[in-house]
Amino acid sequence: MITGWFKTPNGIFEKDLSRSEKLIYVYLCRCSNNTAAFPSYNTIARMCGCTRRTAIRTVNHLENLELITVERYQNKPNLYHIASA
């Protein structure tokens, strides 16, 4: 993939999501390079301009909506897989 741009599904902008939910979904797409992403909640919060708690709550909501899947590990970063919007 060429540095400086990334793909995100167009359908995400047609979903009834909050700004935080759209932004965090797009950020995970940016991190994933079309495979998987593994930023920490602190990194997601810092990069998206929200609190860590908002990042956690938003990731959980995106997972409940089946827009992402999350593999959770102890003492290691979560692994996020992006589903099609």
Side-chain angles (χ1 to χ4, degrees):
M1 184 172 211
I2 299 171
T3 305
W5 61 276
F6 63 95
K7 292 181 181 182
T8 194
N10 290 331
I12 195 66
F13 298 102
E14 298 169 4
K15 302 279 186 192
D16 186 23
L17 300 173
S18 71
R19 281 184 257 157
S20 295
E21 291 163 345
K22 287 180 183 177
L23 181 59
I24 289 175
Y25 179 86
V26 169
Y27 179 68
L28 292 174
C29 288
R30 176 192 178 265
C31 294
S32 74
N33 197 16
N34 295 326
T35 55
F38 49 90
S40 68
Y41 287 126
N42 289 335
T43 298
I44 293 169
R46 186 178 76 250
M47 297 302 286
C48 295
C50 63
T51 65
R52 183 177 190 277
R53 182 68 202 129
T54 296
I56 292 168
R57 187 175 40 248
T58 301
V59 163
N60 289 336
H61 190 236
L62 292 172
E63 185 178 28
N64 289 338
L65 294 173
E66 298 181 354
L67 292 171
I68 62 173
T69 56
V70 183
E71 293 180 45
R72 290 176 173 81
Y73 301 99
Q74 285 198 358
N75 301 319
K76 289 171 53 173
N78 292 338
L79 188 60
Y80 305 98
H81 299 278
I82 308 301
S84 296

